[in-house]
Amino acid sequence: MNFLRLGPAGREIPVVQHDGTSYDLRTLTADLDGAFWSADGIARTRAALEGGDLAELPDAGVLRVGVPVARPNKIVCIGLNYRDHAAETGAPLPAEPVVFMKDPMTLVGPFDDVLIPRGSTQTDWEVELAVVVGTTIRYADSPEQAMRHIAGYAVSHDVSERGFQLERGGQWDKGKSCETFNPLGPWLVPADEVGDPQALSLRLWVNGVLRQDGTTKDMIFPVAHVVWYLSQFMVLYPGDVINTGTPAGVALGLPDHPYLRAGDVVELEIGGLGRARQALVAA
């Protein structure tokens, strides 16, 4: 069962895919927002599917695929969370998760264009596992308890401008929050259908060349720890997105630093969570 939002930007409708068929969710919810996730939306959808209460959406295949989560309050990101990525950047392994924020307005659909910012010469790629919060988390008692608050997982592209990030005063947000810098999707898969989030493959290609080929088992801080840790410092609300880090293979870590240019195409996938594709264009 996959949750997604289809239609023109700003006018997406909530949809669930099940056994190859797309169903309109508007009889259950106006959108896949925090209220839906926190009000047992996943369980209610399963019940509606089993009861035959949802109408099929026959034209789903021709509609634009939007962000699978509507209007999150925030995007929280974890930096340097893969051992091989820390090594390729020359950074020591962090003793605690490296946390930064990303503007929620960076979210775009998984097949939308990504804009190269004006003045950019170091736009970089990062495939990441995104965690979507299902119910409010504050001061989780343990990593195990924190996991019970997760709605599901999605493919995230944490696009970065390294010059803005590292050479413009040391404030990462400037290199992370540029327009269109967080394609998400194609869909959200419920947590209980994903299984072990530390056993997922991640891959990313640029112009057909495989650049990243990793696994979530290489995370320094696993998903459960990340969600628990963040809840000690901030309240996590339903629909919030957590980007959990990227494996090795980014342009910053490659000898020739082949940063993205207008005309490039990035494709990325996570095992069981789908595949996305974005073209790079000039802002």
Side-chain angles (χ1 to χ4, degrees), residues 153-230:
Y153 302 95
V155 179
S156 184
H157 188 183
D158 177 20
V159 187
S160 308
E161 213 302 334
R162 302 301 188 187
F164 298 175
Q165 176 188 354
L166 302 173
E167 301 168 11
R168 300 293 297 273
Q171 299 174 29
W172 284 19
D173 292 19
K174 289 185 288 189
K176 296 287 189 171
S177 289
C178 303
E179 184 181 11
T180 73
F181 263 28
N182 204 149
L184 188 72
W187 44 62
L188 176 145
V189 180
D192 61 0
E193 296 188 12
V194 171
D196 183 2
Q198 305 310 140
L200 303 176
S201 61
L202 307 91
R203 296 184 180 87
L204 182 145
W205 296 259
V206 180
N207 301 326
V209 177
L210 182 63
R211 291 298 193 181
Q212 291 185 277
D213 187 4
T215 170
T216 54
K217 71 180 180 182
D218 194 43
M219 283 185 183
I220 299 168
F221 304 103
V223 168
H225 183 90
V226 164
V227 178
W228 165 82
Y229 182 87
L230 292 175

Side-chain angles (χ1 to χ4, degrees), residues 8-19:
R11 301 199 304 274
E12 297 92 343
I13 63 173
V15 175
V16 64
Q17 288 183 345
H18 181 64
D19 290 340

